[in-house]
Amino acid sequence: MKKKYLIIAMLFSFFAVNAQNDIPQNEKQNEVKVNVLTPLAGTFEATYERNLNNKSSLGITGLFVFNNKNSNEDTNYMITQYYRRYLGKKYASGFFVEGFGMLSSIDGKKIYDTSDNLTFTKGSDVIDYSLGIGLGSKWVTKSGIIIEVNAGWGKLLFNADKTDHDQVARFGIQLGYRF
């Protein structure tokens, strides 16, 4: 009798594991992506996104500057969290709108000395938080390859007077994988 229960339990667990593996690739919940445009500006941007259901997801993005000499920007790093709402018919893909919050480190105000043609930064790096909105589109192949285009705009909330600007921008072409 115990052997019957053991066999039934083993078969049940076998079918349960196989049922979990039968999720179509394009409906899996985790994604990793890299922005292919940012290395041109001396930065690296990577994203992790978790699909909550077929219409929404949460994500976090890290952008780190590794070569400030090639970049005209005064950004040191950005960590962005976002919520996306997908408007397409496919699982977590198609056109989307997003709301994001961004923690960033930005160089302080620059002072220009016209007599010596010198530029220097007044003060230290400024850490600030921004809120913004964005939009874009995501395409996912059956094998899980992701191509995404996005753009967004936000406003610094607390220390905009200590920097040369009061706005932030997000944009990119991202390649990734859904698993």
Side-chain angles (χ1 to χ4, degrees):
M1 187 70 143
K2 290 182 182 180
K3 287 183 182 181
K4 282 184 188 179
Y5 290 124
L6 181 61
I7 291 172
I8 290 172
M10 288 174 57
L11 286 174
F12 179 75
S13 64
F14 174 75
F15 288 117
V17 169
N18 282 341
Q20 289 176 349
N21 291 335
D22 289 342
I23 298 172
Q25 185 67 30
N26 58 352
E27 292 186 15
K28 295 199 174 176
Q29 295 179 320
N30 301 298
E31 299 177 3
V32 290
K33 299 174 274 195
V34 293
N35 191 335
V36 297
L37 293 180
T38 56
L40 301 173
T43 61
F44 175 75
E45 182 180 31
T47 301
Y48 170 77
E49 186 172 335
R50 173 78 174 183
N51 297 317
L52 303 174
N53 55 42
N54 64 333
K55 293 290 183 188
S56 62
S57 66
L58 293 172
I60 187 163
T61 298
L63 180 135
F64 302 97
V65 177
F66 60 83
N67 190 352
N68 245 349
K69 294 177 184 175
N70 290 344
S71 176
N72 292 331
E73 290 294 321
D74 56 357
T75 303
N76 301 313
Y77 66 84
M78 290 187 223
I79 300 172
T80 306
Q81 60 278 0
Y82 60 84
Y83 170 79
R84 286 187 177 163
R85 185 71 178 169
Y86 291 95
L87 305 174
K89 294 180 181 179
K90 295 183 180 177
Y91 183 84
S93 61
F95 184 75
F96 63 81
V97 293
E98 74 177 17
F100 66 86
M102 178 186 294
L103 178 71
S104 57
S105 170
I106 305 166
D107 292 341
K109 279 196 175 190
K110 292 185 175 60
I111 297 174
Y112 303 99
D113 185 359
T114 56
S115 63
D116 295 335
N117 290 331
L118 295 174
T119 302
F120 60 94
T121 302
K122 178 182 176 184
S124 60
D125 293 345
V126 176
I127 296 177
D128 205 345
Y129 195 78
S130 308
L131 290 178
I133 58 172
L135 52 89
S137 191
K138 181 193 297 185
W139 299 272
V140 183
T141 66
K142 290 181 182 179
S143 61
I145 303 297
I146 299 169
I147 300 171
E148 177 182 308
V149 178
N150 67 329
W153 172 85
K155 192 107 167 123
L156 294 173
L157 297 178
F158 304 110
N159 295 316
D161 58 331
K162 297 178 184 175
T163 67
D164 289 335
H165 55 82
D166 62 352
Q167 302 174 20
V168 293
R170 281 174 45 89
F171 58 90
I173 298 173
Q174 300 198 21
L175 296 176
Y177 181 69
R178 183 178 284 181
F179 59 97

